[in-house]
Amino acid sequence: MKVSRSAFIALLAGSTNAHQAPRVLSDEAPIPAEFSFSIQRIESNDPLAKAKSSKSSKSSKTSKAENRVKELEEMFPCLGPLVNQTVVDNYAEKDSTSIQNQGLISEVIGKEAGAGTTLRVKYEQGITKSEMIKLCVTKCEEVEEDCTTFLMREGTNSQGETDFRCKFYNDNSTAAQYDVKNPVISLSERGEFFNYSVFHKGDELLLPAHKGCDVPVGKALKIPITCRALQYVKDAADFWPPIPGFPLSENNCSQVLESLASDFEDYIAPSVNCTYSEFAAAAIDPSKPGVEIGAGFAGLDACLTCLEKAGGNCATDSFCGEDNVITKTCPAATCTLDGQNGQECGTCGDKCPSQCLAEIQTAMLCQAGAKAVWNEEEQLGSCLHADVDGFANYLADGERFLESVYMWMKRPCPIG
């Protein structure tokens, strides 16, 4: 008896010899799609096999993670056992943020603003960011006293290698937070950039915001200074001198100066006026009327250019110490075999007038303590040379320091 194809399929579906189906039906029409799918689904849907595979995979990952933790503990034995992930998750990350604890205030209280030690990881150690976070949380929790916050700096060099540094703080630290624009250029290594972020317990970062001298910094200071010098000439001589290569008119400069905060006029302008007038007075020649104007601007530009290159840091000795960048003169030039001057001078005693020392100190300290501008081209400002909301008045001792917490006000450097 000849069996129809549909009847045979129905019979085969209930047979225990289903593996024979492809051979018997090889010269017939294809097996219906729904039948083929049901066979495939039954063959792959093995709960026991999947559970064993999943368990094996999880076990392998757990074992690998545990081994890595042991490796890190051996690399950093002084930290002790690393904290678990639950503790790490208690810390919130505030990206593109840094912390400053150096400057006038920390010098007055005689320490680096209550900051703890630093944890560093070198390029060749191969530590990932998540691993560094665990290391730093462990140090903050188990090693540092009352630590609640740490700053992480992730550095990437020109070869694409990564290193890390963490610095630790507590709620009583004399320190302030400020915004940066990652990545931030390194001032010491060519081709190196940093990403900054702050980790803290709880939802809010309790450190106060940095309050800086409200003035332009870096390249943005060039036009306001030139405009202020032009205005100084206009006030003294009642005319607006033309400056080659400087297209701004009197009206344009008025708008520039009016747009600035009062800190510019209070702390920057006196140094501009003094420096210009000293160079101009030295160049007065009755036989050459007006020559002093060009000399004043040339001298001002040379002094400012030198100070910009000399830089400085958050320590007041940069501007107030015996070897400060303003008054120290360059040593005698040393010549190399090719006949060139092989020494680049880093001080400006031969470029800036000593008669304007106090005014220039004021301006430089205002710049160092300005609102931070940290990005892929510049690292400017941020030093704690100003009062910050939440800080005590550490300058109450008027015998050595001024009573005002603004270091750049009036006499800027320590007395005695």
Side-chain angles (χ1 to χ4, degrees):
M1 178 180 69
K2 186 174 181 181
V3 181
S4 67
R5 179 176 181 275
S6 59
F8 183 76
I9 290 175
L11 179 64
L12 182 61
S15 172
T16 58
N17 297 321
H19 61 277
Q20 299 176 358
R23 183 179 68 251
V24 175
L25 295 177
S26 60
D27 58 345
E28 298 285 346
I31 298 175
E34 63 273 13
F35 183 81
S36 174
F37 173 74
S38 66
I39 294 294
Q40 294 173 4
R41 185 176 60 191
I42 291 173
E43 289 178 345
S44 62
N45 191 19
D46 185 347
L48 183 59
K50 292 177 100 179
K52 288 182 178 180
S53 175
S54 175
K55 185 175 181 180
S56 175
S57 176
K58 288 181 180 179
S59 177
S60 176
K61 290 181 179 178
T62 301
S63 177
K64 185 177 181 181
E66 290 175 347
N67 289 338
R68 182 55 177 165
V69 168
K70 291 179 180 178
E71 290 178 1
L72 292 173
E73 290 175 345
E74 291 175 357
M75 294 170 65
F76 301 91
C78 294
L79 297 182
L82 299 187
V83 297
N84 60 42
Q85 190 59 39
T86 302
V87 178
V88 175
D89 291 341
N90 290 332
Y91 284 74
E93 179 179 9
K94 185 174 176 59
D95 194 23
S96 297
T97 306
S98 188
I99 295 174
Q100 183 60 267
N101 60 274
Q102 294 180 323
L104 169 66
I105 295 176
S106 57
E107 291 177 15
V108 173
I109 63 178
K111 59 181 180 179
E112 283 196 2
T117 56
T118 298
L119 179 63
R120 300 175 187 270
V121 169
K122 300 177 181 179
Y123 288 114
E124 62 269 18
Q125 290 182 274
I127 303 296
T128 65
K129 181 177 180 179
S130 61
E131 291 172 344
M132 187 63 182
I133 293 172
K134 181 181 283 287
L135 291 170
C136 294
V137 169
T138 299
K139 185 172 175 64
C140 189
E141 288 283 326
E142 306 297 335
V143 180
E144 295 295 327
E145 184 177 356
D146 299 325
C147 176
T148 58
T149 305
F150 62 88
L151 167 67
M152 177 181 284
R153 189 190 76 180
E154 178 183 356
T156 303
N157 63 17
S158 57
Q159 287 76 45
E161 300 170 315
T162 303
D163 74 345
F164 295 94
R165 186 186 77 175
C166 286
K167 199 163 188 178
F168 303 87
Y169 303 85
N170 57 51
D171 291 344
N172 295 319
S173 294
T174 307
Q177 62 171 329
Y178 56 94
D179 294 335
V180 303
K181 187 175 181 181
N182 288 330
V184 176
I185 190 171
S186 168
L187 299 182
S188 58
E189 295 292 335
R190 184 182 297 273
E192 184 178 36
F193 291 88
F194 302 123
N195 285 326
Y196 289 89
S197 57
V198 173
F199 291 80
H200 56 95
K201 290 182 181 179
D203 297 331
E204 295 184 9
L205 176 54
L206 298 179
L207 291 175
H210 177 260
K211 177 184 177 182
C213 199
D214 192 1
V215 295
V217 291
K219 299 174 183 177
L221 191 59
K222 177 72 173 180
I223 288 179
I225 282 182
T226 305
C227 280
R228 189 62 191 84
L230 287 167
Q231 186 62 53
Y232 178 79
V233 175
K234 174 67 184 316
D235 294 341
D238 197 27
F239 82 100
W240 190 265
I243 301 296
F246 189 79
L248 292 181
S249 64
E250 181 177 359
N251 182 58
N252 294 140
C253 273
S254 295
Q255 295 179 29
V256 169
L257 295 175
E258 289 172 3
S259 70
L260 301 174
S262 60
D263 282 354
F264 177 85
E265 192 65 23
D266 292 340
Y267 310 127
I268 303 295
S271 68
V272 176
N273 299 342
C274 180
T275 301
Y276 168 84
S277 62
E278 286 296 328
F279 282 112
I284 292 177
D285 184 346
S287 65
K288 299 178 181 178
V291 69
E292 67 275 11
I293 295 177
F297 278 100
L300 174 64
D301 184 66
C303 176
L304 293 176
T305 300
C306 181
L307 291 172
E308 183 178 358
K309 290 182 179 180
N313 52 48
C314 290
T316 53
D317 278 352
S318 295
F319 316 112
C320 303
E322 183 178 351
D323 292 332
N324 69 79
V325 299
I326 305 168
T327 60
K328 187 177 180 180
T329 57
C330 295
T334 57
C335 294
T336 59
L337 293 178
D338 61 3
Q340 301 298 312
N341 182 358
Q343 184 174 8
E344 182 175 350
C345 183
T347 56
C348 305
D350 55 350
K351 299 291 184 182
C352 299
S354 59
Q355 299 91 333
C356 302
L357 175 59
E359 291 84 353
I360 296 176
Q361 285 175 330
T362 297
M364 294 296 287
L365 287 165
C366 177
Q367 287 280 288
K371 293 181 177 180
V373 177
W374 286 39
N375 52 43
E376 61 183 2
E377 296 181 351
E378 299 174 306
Q379 274 194 42
L380 301 169
S382 84
C383 298
L384 293 184
H385 290 321
D387 187 17
V388 178
D389 293 339
F391 288 174
N393 185 358
Y394 292 108
L395 296 185
D397 182 4
E399 293 184 2
R400 178 164 175 78
F401 290 90
L402 302 179
E403 292 184 0
S404 171
V405 292
Y406 285 91
M407 189 169 185
W408 49 77
M409 293 179 70
K410 301 179 182 178
R411 182 186 175 101
C413 288
I415 301 171

